[in-house]
Amino acid sequence: MRLRALLDTEALGLRLLGGEAELDRTVRGVMTTDLRDPSRYLNGGELVLTGLAWRRTAADSDAFVRLLAGAGVAGLAAGEAELGPIPDDLVEACARHRLPLFAVDERVAFAAITEHVVRQVSGERAGDLAAVVERHRRLMSSGPAGGGPDAVLDLLGSDLDLRAWVLSSTGREIGAAGHPLPAPVRAELAGAQQAATRTGRPGPHRVAVQGRTYSLFPVRAGAGTADVRSRVLSDWFLAVEADAGEWPAERMDLLQGVTQLIAVERDRRDAARMVRRRLAGEVFDLVRGGAAPAEIGARLRAAAPVLVPGAGGEPYWQIVVAKVDWAGAEVPAGPAAQALLEEVLADPAAPGPDAADRIAVAHAEDKAMALVPLTGGAPGTGMTGAAPEPLHAEALLGLLRGPLARGLGDDGRLTVGVSAAVHSPEGLRGALEEARHARRVAAARQGRVCVAGHEELASHVLLLPFVPDDVRRAFTARLLDPLRAYDRRHRSELIPTLEAFLDCDGSWTRCAGRLHLHVNTLRYRITRIEQLTGRDLARLEDKLDFFLALRMS
């Protein structure tokens, strides 16, 4: 707003004492002070309100005004309530430094002036920003965006003092206006957004994390669907460090416009990925159809400029297979798993929507399959000898388990399998089978989010998921039910003792130390286990049976 507008507002009781030629200055804020030197707290453009408590002698006026003029304030308003009429030395000092000076009537509180200025300035900024948002929306709808959503997020910070971030379903930063958020905060916000989305309540959703309040606005890209489960695991959202419950309707409408703008960018990124998705589908069709390695290799080389632009030499490849299951619901799982893998396998160190463009993902029926190039920028990062470090199942589980478990709720499951890295087309068929088997191993486990890697396929865990449920139950019941019944009746701990004994490779000393028992007490418990089951824990075969029974129980 302009200084002239303040003077024209009769309710503010301002009287101009000097600086009529400067009344077109823009007021960007207001500050009340009686400090002798308030310059450290000024940013420029403020209307400074003062009760003149800083003035002891006439010489103080020039020093005070010189500091304000140097800080670039818009004007000075001095109150008459305490000291009466404004002294001439202050009027003269303001004239020398070309600083507009107002007298504030003793009946008008500084708080009334402050409230009026803040309300007017915020309204004008919101109007300006709304126009910018609308202009960006038109640009992004009709052609390449100049700056994309980051430009509007920057305006939220500079014009409305709002710190905002666009985050993915896993908490990865897509865009920001403000300092980066710590990873635990981003993960917590992502989980909160998914949990709120599952309730069906409209946004924004308010959440407190580490003593700060955030308002979460969902970003809806593409055509909406009735069932939130089809998109809850892959949606973006806008996180604003503020309590939107206190906002006027105009500001709420403005933020909704910002989310629509971000949704346009999301649609644009999805459209750009269609080529990568199609190429991935062609490669997987060849691999699953048993095509010759030469044919697969030719297709990979032709697709390399799109899949791994700028990479020198032939990359290593990993395959990741994922499936989302919803209990008792007909929810299309393939596209959701595809969008989720594109996000999850993005370079975690690279912010922005383009970070997911290094992954090519296809989906067939209810599963998604990702072709991950390892060229030195892969998840897990770094180079080990000639080959980049591959993606590890444990690291992937850590990334997924926190935020996505809340989106899955009580009726969803995500299972993921990760292959070993291969360096030739001949290895892709085996890598796909590894990833498929690893996902089945993950599906046999308990939990909403389960991930298994290729390294687990060289042990007994590869066999356990394929044991029929009735065989599994019968096998474990014969060996473990007598021990469970004994523990219930006598409040003993035969099952934990058996687990510890096997985990210590049958070492009496180590097992007794772990359980804090005397060796004779441990021997008594093992003897009781053998009597109840008719097995001999000195025999390798019986040890193995107990081991498998515990794993399958």
Side-chain angles (χ1 to χ4, degrees):
M1 66 180 303
R2 307 288 183 181
L3 283 175
R4 191 180 305 280
L6 290 174
L7 191 61
D8 293 340
T9 306
E10 294 183 5
L12 298 182
L14 296 179
R15 189 172 74 257
L16 184 65
L17 300 181
E20 185 174 1
E22 307 293 333
L23 290 181
D24 286 328
R25 291 187 180 185
T26 299
V27 179
R28 302 186 182 279
V30 62
M31 177 186 180
T32 300
T33 184
D34 278 312
L35 294 173
R36 295 174 67 85
D37 180 6
S39 58
R40 76 189 78 173
Y41 305 109
L42 296 169
N43 296 313
E46 295 93 348
L47 173 67
V48 175
L49 306 177
T50 181
L52 300 179
W54 48 266
R55 181 182 177 275
R56 295 180 176 84
T57 68
D60 293 336
S61 293
D62 189 79
F64 183 79
V65 173
R66 185 172 63 253
L67 290 169
L68 296 187
V73 303
L76 174 65
E80 297 179 324
E82 292 291 331
L83 303 178
I86 307 304
D88 291 340
D89 51 85
L90 180 59
V91 177
E92 294 167 0
C94 286
R96 281 194 299 273
H97 294 284
R98 300 174 61 84
L99 183 66
L101 175 65
F102 302 89
V104 182
D105 190 280
E106 63 181 3
R107 294 168 296 181
V108 178
F110 281 178
I113 299 174
T114 299
E115 181 180 355
H116 177 82
V117 172
V118 169
R119 186 167 58 249
Q120 294 298 317
V121 169
S122 296
E124 291 180 5
R125 284 181 177 178
D128 292 343
L129 185 56
V132 172
V133 170
E134 181 59 30
R135 184 167 66 252
H136 272 65
R137 184 186 298 118
R138 290 197 302 269
L139 287 171
M140 294 183 72
S141 298
S142 59
D150 276 354
V152 179
L153 295 183
D154 288 340
L155 286 172
L156 286 177
S158 62
D159 282 25
L160 294 185
D161 297 323
L162 291 176
R163 299 176 65 195
W165 301 264
V166 180
L167 302 178
S168 74
S169 58
T170 61
R172 189 176 65 84
E173 183 183 293
I174 305 295
H179 299 295
L181 285 172
V185 174
R186 289 187 273 111
E188 179 63 25
L189 292 177
Q193 168 64 20
Q194 292 179 48
T197 299
R198 287 299 307 272
T199 67
R201 292 185 290 108
H205 312 297
R206 286 174 287 169
V207 61
V209 179
Q210 296 187 5
R212 298 179 183 273
T213 299
Y214 298 86
S215 296
L216 311 180
F217 294 79
V219 173
R220 297 283 180 255
T225 56
D227 198 323
V228 298
R229 289 173 292 188
S230 64
R231 50 180 168 77
V232 66
L233 301 182
S234 56
D235 271 355
W236 291 357
F237 66 99
L238 175 68
V240 181
E241 190 180 322
D243 187 346
E246 302 173 353
W247 287 357
E250 294 80 3
R251 179 168 288 197
M252 193 70 75
D253 290 342
L254 172 63
L255 267 292
Q256 295 295 348
V258 172
T259 62
Q260 292 171 17
L261 175 62
I262 298 166
V264 172
E265 175 66 12
R266 175 67 187 267
D267 282 336
R268 186 182 303 281
R269 300 313 311 165
D270 284 345
R273 291 186 187 125
M274 290 305 296
V275 174
R276 302 178 66 84
R277 291 172 174 176
R278 179 175 58 80
L279 291 174
E282 292 175 358
V283 171
F284 281 119
D285 284 345
L286 291 174
V287 172
R288 289 185 300 165
E295 185 179 358
I296 298 173
R299 193 72 196 90
L300 278 177
R301 285 190 294 274
V306 175
L307 299 181
V308 280
E314 294 188 4
Y316 284 72
W317 300 93
Q318 262 185 297
I319 291 178
V320 179
V321 174
K323 184 181 181 184
V324 179
D325 292 292
W326 299 105
E330 294 295 329
V331 180
Q338 181 180 47
L340 176 61
L341 275 189
E342 285 173 338
E343 170 53 41
V344 167
L345 299 175
D347 185 349
D354 294 339
D357 287 348
R358 55 179 296 278
I359 308 300
V361 187
H363 74 84
E365 298 177 350
D366 58 350
K367 299 181 188 67
M369 301 168 290
L371 191 62
V372 184
L374 304 180
T375 58
T381 63
M383 298 289 287
T384 304
E389 183 182 344
L391 173 68
H392 296 289
E394 185 177 351
L396 189 57
L397 178 62
L399 176 66
L400 293 171
R401 184 164 42 195
L404 297 186
R406 299 179 68 179
L408 289 163
D410 295 330
D411 57 344
R413 285 200 79 203
L414 171 65
T415 53
V416 183
V418 183
S419 79
V422 296
H423 190 45
S424 65
E426 291 86 348
L428 284 180
R429 186 172 184 180
L432 179 58
E433 289 303 312
E434 277 187 342
R436 283 172 163 174
H437 283 301
R439 195 207 62 79
R440 294 191 190 102
V441 170
R445 295 173 176 166
Q446 299 295 318
R448 291 294 167 197
V449 181
C450 297
V451 183
H454 63 91
E455 63 278 358
E456 300 179 59
L457 303 184
S459 71
H460 63 279
V461 296
L462 175 61
L463 304 176
L464 297 185
F466 308 105
V467 176
D469 288 343
D470 55 343
V471 175
R472 182 194 304 258
R473 286 191 295 268
F475 181 75
T476 58
R478 282 196 299 270
L479 281 172
L480 301 183
D481 279 2
L483 306 182
R484 292 181 178 130
Y486 187 89
D487 281 345
R488 284 195 299 270
R489 289 196 307 271
H490 300 278
R491 296 182 180 180
S492 57
E493 296 184 343
L494 295 186
I495 291 287
T497 300
L498 175 61
E499 290 175 332
F501 184 71
L502 295 175
D503 195 41
C504 291
D505 299 323
S507 169
W508 298 96
T509 303
R510 282 197 292 131
C511 184
R514 174 181 295 190
L515 297 176
H516 306 290
L517 299 175
H518 192 278
V519 172
N520 288 341
T521 303
L522 175 61
R523 291 185 184 278
Y524 169 81
R525 290 186 182 181
I526 296 299
T527 299
R528 178 62 65 187
I529 291 171
E530 293 173 335
Q531 291 172 345
L532 291 170
T533 60
R535 299 299 185 103
D536 182 358
L537 279 166
R539 299 178 66 245
L540 176 61
E541 293 85 346
D542 288 343
K543 285 181 182 177
L544 180 59
D545 285 346
F546 277 122
F547 176 80
L548 293 175
L550 289 169
R551 284 299 180 95
M552 289 190 292
S553 63

